[in-house]
Amino acid sequence: MKKISLTGIKPTGDLHIGNYFGAIKPALELTKEYDARYFIADYHALNTMRDPKGLNSTIRQVAAGWLASGLDPEKVIFYRQSSIPEVFELATMLMAFTAKGLMNRAHAYKAAIQENNEKGDDTDAGINMGLFTYPILMAADIIIFDSDIVPVGKDQVQHIEMAQDIAQSINANYGQQVLKIPQAGVQEDSAVIPGLDGRKMSKSYNNVIPLFVPEKTLRKTIMRITTNSQSVEEPKDPDTSQIFQLYKLFADAAEQEALAGRYRAGGMGWGDAKEELFQVVNRCLTPIRERYDTIMADIPALDKILEQGAEKARPIAAATVKRFRKAAGID
Ligand code: TRP
């Protein structure tokens, strides 16, 4: 039997090419080797997103973005966290076994407290219980599907360790393997995708190239990439150009070599380099954008896909809760 992988997707913000190469593509590779499950973590988003319209449409945009990028709902299980009530039942059960001190040590919570203290605010200002108990809900997300491996970035490793701690103390208490202990599949730092200003592409830097914008907007965005003041004639070093770093993500080896040659020869201005970049980005994104637009034009069909995923997921979730309840004497 194949091992089970689980990927949680936070429904926040518009997807950009940093997400695509840093998260979506590597996560979709898992389908080859694992019995892969993917879910939209919409109750997690409730901690910070209070605008109902915004949250409602972000959930669909992110789901459509993953489908358009190649997630095949026939081959994997793709669902919304909020469609699986057993996740929240399990979270309550896990809470009984989670030391408050463990939550006190969570990085995100500690950072929020530290920020308050530095500002001279009340220690707990603006911190809700959703943030404080985030690692428990995340543990429930993972444990409920008997996940073997959870691919995460380094910032999420602590959460997986907490899930392990909680599950282990439950198994130890009942003297049997009630819950499977998950492992973190730490993604080695994949190449940093540079943004428009050369810093890491990130929504918080406002330097992103969005995935699903019309061609015109895409060109305009690419033309905004900052460059140095080298003249057209001057030879340029492709290896230090963020335009070329981006180009490499989209172009084949022969194209890369050809363009690197033009950089080094001189006579090519930054405007031309950006136009070359636009051409290859647009070539790659056009089919994805078309699929995205088609999916977004029929939200009921999209919801149906997610609902069908939830139907596949719920029996698995229910079985885990049942096992735990039986072990605990609540059956
Ligand atoms: N915390 C993850 C993030 O910030 C999202 C997430 C929620 C998740 N539940 C999960 C990831 C379960 C993996 C498994 O990106």
mmCIF file of all heavy atoms in Angstrom, residues 53 70 95 102 137 145 165 194 201 214 220 259 284 296 304:
data_model
loop_
_atom_site.group_PDB
_atom_site.id
_atom_site.type_symbol
_atom_site.label_atom_id
_atom_site.label_comp_id
_atom_site.label_asym_id
_atom_site.label_seq_id
_atom_site.Cartn_x
_atom_site.Cartn_y
_atom_site.Cartn_z
ATOM 1 N N LYS A 53 -17.274 37.881 2.448
ATOM 2 C CA LYS A 53 -17.162 37.809 0.982
ATOM 3 C C LYS A 53 -15.741 37.465 0.573
ATOM 4 O O LYS A 53 -15.509 36.658 -0.321
ATOM 5 C CB LYS A 53 -17.545 39.157 0.366
ATOM 6 C CG LYS A 53 -19.024 39.293 0.148
ATOM 7 C CD LYS A 53 -19.293 40.313 -0.972
ATOM 8 C CE LYS A 53 -20.771 40.577 -1.094
ATOM 9 N NZ LYS A 53 -21.135 41.968 -0.839
ATOM 10 N N GLY A 70 -2.989 21.598 -12.023
ATOM 11 C CA GLY A 70 -2.787 20.182 -12.337
ATOM 12 C C GLY A 70 -3.242 19.200 -11.274
ATOM 13 O O GLY A 70 -3.084 17.994 -11.445
ATOM 14 N N MET A 95 -7.186 18.073 22.576
ATOM 15 C CA MET A 95 -6.964 19.124 23.576
ATOM 16 C C MET A 95 -6.806 18.565 24.971
ATOM 17 O O MET A 95 -6.024 19.082 25.765
ATOM 18 C CB MET A 95 -8.135 20.108 23.571
ATOM 19 C CG MET A 95 -7.994 21.131 22.494
ATOM 20 S SD MET A 95 -9.104 22.494 22.793
ATOM 21 C CE MET A 95 -9.642 22.743 21.116
ATOM 22 N N LEU A 102 2.885 23.318 26.157
ATOM 23 C CA LEU A 102 3.326 23.013 24.792
ATOM 24 C C LEU A 102 2.876 24.129 23.846
ATOM 25 O O LEU A 102 3.646 24.591 23.010
ATOM 26 C CB LEU A 102 2.749 21.664 24.342
ATOM 27 C CG LEU A 102 3.227 21.108 22.998
ATOM 28 C CD1 LEU A 102 4.696 20.702 23.052
ATOM 29 C CD2 LEU A 102 2.386 19.910 22.555
ATOM 30 N N LEU A 137 -5.408 22.139 16.149
ATOM 31 C CA LEU A 137 -6.262 21.921 14.973
ATOM 32 C C LEU A 137 -5.436 21.350 13.825
ATOM 33 O O LEU A 137 -5.868 20.448 13.112
ATOM 34 C CB LEU A 137 -6.946 23.237 14.564
ATOM 35 C CG LEU A 137 -7.943 23.144 13.414
ATOM 36 C CD1 LEU A 137 -9.001 22.071 13.649
ATOM 37 C CD2 LEU A 137 -8.613 24.507 13.168
ATOM 38 N N PHE A 145 -6.314 11.718 9.101
ATOM 39 C CA PHE A 145 -6.199 10.952 7.855
ATOM 40 C C PHE A 145 -5.055 9.955 7.871
ATOM 41 O O PHE A 145 -4.588 9.531 6.818
ATOM 42 C CB PHE A 145 -6.111 11.904 6.659
ATOM 43 C CG PHE A 145 -7.428 12.584 6.443
ATOM 44 C CD1 PHE A 145 -7.591 13.921 6.716
ATOM 45 C CD2 PHE A 145 -8.519 11.851 6.029
ATOM 46 C CE1 PHE A 145 -8.833 14.531 6.581
ATOM 47 C CE2 PHE A 145 -9.761 12.448 5.893
ATOM 48 C CZ PHE A 145 -9.918 13.783 6.169
ATOM 49 N N ASP A 165 4.054 14.687 19.359
ATOM 50 C CA ASP A 165 4.007 14.662 20.832
ATOM 51 C C ASP A 165 2.618 14.297 21.337
ATOM 52 O O ASP A 165 2.457 13.463 22.225
ATOM 53 C CB ASP A 165 4.303 16.068 21.390
ATOM 54 C CG ASP A 165 5.780 16.325 21.536
ATOM 55 O OD1 ASP A 165 6.557 15.483 21.061
ATOM 56 O OD2 ASP A 165 6.136 17.378 22.114
ATOM 57 N N PRO A 194 12.889 35.239 -7.009
ATOM 58 C CA PRO A 194 12.985 36.684 -6.780
ATOM 59 C C PRO A 194 11.720 37.407 -7.231
ATOM 60 O O PRO A 194 11.096 37.034 -8.218
ATOM 61 C CB PRO A 194 14.191 37.110 -7.626
ATOM 62 C CG PRO A 194 14.336 36.064 -8.668
ATOM 63 C CD PRO A 194 13.732 34.797 -8.130
ATOM 64 N N MET A 201 10.093 36.726 -3.605
ATOM 65 C CA MET A 201 8.725 37.071 -3.997
ATOM 66 C C MET A 201 7.764 36.745 -2.852
ATOM 67 O O MET A 201 7.698 35.614 -2.391
ATOM 68 C CB MET A 201 8.316 36.303 -5.260
ATOM 69 C CG MET A 201 6.981 36.782 -5.822
ATOM 70 S SD MET A 201 6.492 36.007 -7.374
ATOM 71 C CE MET A 201 7.691 36.645 -8.537
ATOM 72 N N PRO A 214 -4.908 38.850 -16.516
ATOM 73 C CA PRO A 214 -4.923 38.918 -17.972
ATOM 74 C C PRO A 214 -3.522 39.235 -18.512
ATOM 75 O O PRO A 214 -2.696 39.837 -17.813
ATOM 76 C CB PRO A 214 -5.879 40.070 -18.269
ATOM 77 C CG PRO A 214 -6.653 40.295 -17.011
ATOM 78 C CD PRO A 214 -5.816 39.802 -15.879
ATOM 79 N N LYS A 220 2.519 44.231 -18.014
ATOM 80 C CA LYS A 220 2.764 45.455 -17.232
ATOM 81 C C LYS A 220 3.531 45.144 -15.961
ATOM 82 O O LYS A 220 4.437 45.883 -15.575
ATOM 83 C CB LYS A 220 1.425 46.096 -16.833
ATOM 84 C CG LYS A 220 0.983 47.202 -17.754
ATOM 85 C CD LYS A 220 -0.070 48.043 -17.037
ATOM 86 C CE LYS A 220 -0.915 48.791 -18.044
ATOM 87 N NZ LYS A 220 -2.284 49.013 -17.555
ATOM 88 N N LEU A 259 19.715 33.152 -24.542
ATOM 89 C CA LEU A 259 19.503 34.469 -23.943
ATOM 90 C C LEU A 259 20.711 34.897 -23.111
ATOM 91 O O LEU A 259 21.098 36.068 -23.120
ATOM 92 C CB LEU A 259 18.225 34.488 -23.095
ATOM 93 C CG LEU A 259 17.790 35.907 -22.705
ATOM 94 C CD1 LEU A 259 17.351 36.727 -23.914
ATOM 95 C CD2 LEU A 259 16.654 35.884 -21.662
ATOM 96 N N CYS A 284 3.798 29.755 -20.546
ATOM 97 C CA CYS A 284 3.549 28.761 -19.499
ATOM 98 C C CYS A 284 2.206 29.005 -18.804
ATOM 99 O O CYS A 284 1.475 28.063 -18.511
ATOM 100 C CB CYS A 284 4.689 28.809 -18.490
ATOM 101 S SG CYS A 284 4.386 27.907 -16.968
ATOM 102 N N MET A 296 -13.439 28.989 -12.577
ATOM 103 C CA MET A 296 -14.062 30.075 -11.807
ATOM 104 C C MET A 296 -15.392 30.524 -12.413
ATOM 105 O O MET A 296 -16.196 31.170 -11.740
ATOM 106 C CB MET A 296 -13.108 31.276 -11.702
ATOM 107 C CG MET A 296 -11.933 31.065 -10.775
ATOM 108 S SD MET A 296 -12.416 30.685 -9.071
ATOM 109 C CE MET A 296 -12.807 32.331 -8.461
ATOM 110 N N LYS A 304 -18.848 21.243 -6.245
ATOM 111 C CA LYS A 304 -19.181 19.822 -6.342
ATOM 112 C C LYS A 304 -17.909 18.970 -6.262
ATOM 113 O O LYS A 304 -17.890 17.939 -5.587
ATOM 114 C CB LYS A 304 -19.917 19.574 -7.666
ATOM 115 C CG LYS A 304 -20.413 18.194 -7.851
ATOM 116 C CD LYS A 304 -21.862 18.159 -8.356
ATOM 117 C CE LYS A 304 -22.388 16.738 -8.352
ATOM 118 N NZ LYS A 304 -22.448 16.151 -9.700
#
